[in-house]
Amino acid sequence: ANVSGAVEAGPKGGMLKLSGKGAQLDMPLVFREALQFDEMDIAAQWRIKNRRLHLDIDQVNLANAHMQGTVSGSYENLVDGADGLGVADITGRLTRADATAAYLYMPRVAGEKTYEWLKTALVQGKSDDVRIKLKGRLDQFPFVGDRDGVFQVTAKVRDGVLQYVPGWPRIEKVQAFLDFHGARMDIGNAQGTIFDTRIVRAKIAIADLAHHDPVIEVDGETQGATQDQLRFIHESPVEQSLDGMTAQMRAEGNGKLALSLRLPIAHLQDTRLSGNYQFQANRIWLALNAPALDQASGRLEFSEHGIVIPKITAQLLGGPVSISSRTTPDGVVRLGIAGRVSAEGLQKGFPGPFAQRLKGGADWSASVAVRKKAVNLVLVSNLVGLGSDLPYTFGKAASGDCRMAGMV
């Protein structure tokens, strides 16, 4: 490094003022990589009394391509190091920071899996307000639970892009509060977008950064177009957990998605998820060429084990319909459907000469079993209330009971 300055030293203490360009801080026991600084200015003084060293760091100015800020504080230890790593009381503030380089400044106490996650998860982001606090006996670092000291780094992040785990849609336009506290990481008060869907509430946490098998906890809520919510499902592992049930669905309208994920970084195949989607007055097509569910309202609940529909109500083929479902232990999604159909609804849904000869309406029910994209449908109705003036065999008085059952 190109360093210039002044140093004064004596048996009871001294001072130093140094200014360097192209400086390098190499602390292999603390950081995985040597830290490079374009500029580093240091002003400090020390004194020695009763074999005890007391260092006052008046100010350290640091700047490189990733950050710019100042650090100040104090450090104490016995001259011969017999007091362990010593005691520090350091505060700092960065007025410029690049989130993509955060992993470089992560101490070794954070596990290798966490380090690799930070390296890829923070795709973009910056902050002009980063606060640093380190206080306590350094041999107790990182002071889990604030025992024997405090270690905390906070940052207000903006314009961020977060790829919280591979294979899931990333979060863009992130505004969030990042907090490293002890051995824990929290990303809170997060807002942003996934595709064109607005995130109204989200938090991401790693409870123990030092653990050999860290788990990412993701809890969030989005609001927006149902079609965008379906896209989130299609482009994430949720699609696989639902066995492709939503692959052909289309929708008009809006809704709210709540999602909770527990993602073990080292073995993502053991991911646990739970969530629900609530919508009101939507128009939904369950499959290609299927008639639309109008004024559809309800709630879908899902997990890594499958999907449950407590109840969806809608209008279908001119009458009300109610839909519910559950997933059996062997992975079969079973739907129960009950409704009423009108002649006018059939004529709109299936235009043609046959439907034009119908009048009135009738109750009907259906059961559907879905497994690995194979569908089994059983449709039942006594057709009471639905009449036709079709020729013999298909002709029927509205009051007549003509039980119909069909299976696909």
Side-chain angles (χ1 to χ4, degrees):
N2 298 316
V3 178
S4 61
V7 178
E8 296 179 3
K12 294 185 178 181
M15 58 81 65
L16 63 83
K17 288 186 178 180
L18 301 176
S19 181
K21 295 186 181 297
Q24 176 176 286
L25 180 61
D26 191 3
M27 301 174 66
L29 296 179
V30 179
F31 299 107
R32 289 173 173 83
E33 302 180 33
L35 304 180
Q36 309 291 333
F37 295 98
D38 299 329
E39 298 180 8
M40 178 186 289
D41 299 324
I42 302 174
Q45 50 190 313
W46 70 92
R47 62 183 182 275
I48 300 172
K49 186 176 181 180
N50 298 327
R51 298 178 53 250
R52 191 163 193 83
L53 168 68
H54 182 95
L55 173 66
D56 287 317
I57 305 168
D58 298 326
Q59 187 165 292
V60 178
N61 298 319
L62 302 168
N64 61 20
H66 309 136
M67 50 84 81
Q68 181 172 358
T70 61
V71 174
S72 61
S74 64
Y75 172 80
E76 284 191 21
N77 200 353
L78 290 174
V79 174
D80 58 7
D83 198 19
L85 298 178
V87 179
D89 186 355
I90 306 293
T91 59
R93 182 181 180 188
L94 307 182
T95 55
R96 174 176 59 82
D98 180 355
T100 64
Y103 72 96
L104 292 171
Y105 303 89
M106 184 59 54
R108 280 188 178 275
V109 69
E112 196 65 28
K113 294 295 183 182
T114 300
Y115 173 80
E116 292 297 330
W117 179 80
L118 282 172
K119 199 172 183 178
T120 58
L122 302 179
V123 179
Q124 184 177 306
K126 51 190 175 182
S127 177
D128 55 13
D129 188 5
V130 179
R131 307 295 176 105
I132 303 164
K133 184 173 184 179
L134 171 64
K135 183 176 183 178
R137 295 184 59 86
L138 296 181
D139 52 11
Q140 299 299 315
F141 182 85
F143 314 119
V144 176
D146 288 347
R147 295 191 300 270
D148 302 312
V150 176
F151 170 64
Q152 187 172 26
V153 179
T154 63
K156 296 176 181 177
V157 179
R158 55 187 172 85
D159 303 327
V161 175
L162 182 65
Q163 183 68 66
Y164 48 94
V165 71
W168 289 81
R170 64 187 192 177
I171 304 174
E172 300 182 325
K173 300 178 182 177
V174 174
Q175 315 289 321
F177 185 76
L178 176 62
D179 184 6
F180 291 97
H181 194 161
R184 182 181 177 88
M185 183 207 74
D186 288 282
I187 302 175
N189 299 326
Q191 297 182 347
T193 61
I194 299 177
F195 306 131
D196 291 326
T197 300
R198 181 171 62 92
I199 297 172
V200 295
R201 177 189 63 82
K203 60 180 181 179
I204 299 172
I206 298 178
D208 187 355
L209 296 167
H211 199 278
H212 71 280
D213 189 15
V215 176
I216 306 172
E217 303 172 5
V218 181
D219 296 282
E221 185 178 294
T222 68
Q223 291 182 353
T226 299
Q227 188 61 43
D228 285 330
Q229 309 280 17
L230 288 172
R231 183 183 173 192
F232 173 85
I233 292 174
H234 297 162
E235 298 189 22
S236 75
V238 177
E239 171 85 347
Q240 183 177 357
S241 72
L242 300 184
D243 204 17
M245 273 193 60
T246 64
Q248 296 185 14
M249 287 179 62
R250 294 181 296 119
E252 295 175 357
N254 297 309
K256 180 169 66 174
L257 173 70
L259 184 67
S260 179
L261 297 169
R262 299 297 179 265
L263 302 136
I265 296 176
H267 42 102
L268 291 174
Q269 69 274 14
D270 295 326
T271 291
R272 292 186 293 118
L273 73 92
S274 62
N276 65 77
Y277 185 66
Q278 300 180 62
F279 54 95
Q280 189 169 7
N282 277 215
R283 194 170 199 222
I284 299 174
W285 292 264
L286 296 178
L288 294 175
N289 303 318
L293 292 170
D294 290 311
Q295 294 299 309
S297 300
R299 175 185 175 99
L300 287 78
E301 301 173 354
F302 54 87
S303 72
E304 70 270 20
H305 302 298
I307 186 170
V308 173
I309 302 175
K311 187 177 183 180
I312 293 176
T313 59
Q315 293 289 312
L316 176 66
L317 298 176
V321 66
S322 175
I323 304 171
S324 61
S325 85
R326 62 186 178 88
T327 301
T328 63
D330 58 352
V332 178
V333 179
R334 297 191 178 276
L335 292 92
I337 308 172
R340 183 172 180 80
V341 68
S342 71
E344 293 82 358
L346 287 169
Q347 289 159 10
K348 290 180 181 179
F350 303 99
F354 184 91
Q356 299 304 316
R357 307 289 289 273
L358 302 176
K359 57 185 177 181
D363 294 332
W364 62 279
S365 64
S367 61
V368 182
V370 182
R371 181 180 175 87
K372 298 189 181 300
K373 300 184 181 179
V375 179
N376 179 267
L377 167 66
V378 178
L379 179 65
V380 178
S381 176
N382 60 17
L383 299 180
V384 173
L386 184 67
S388 80
D389 58 5
L390 290 163
Y392 179 72
T393 303
F394 294 105
K396 176 186 175 295
S399 59
D401 186 335
C402 182
R403 187 165 298 275
M404 179 196 75
M407 184 171 67
V408 177

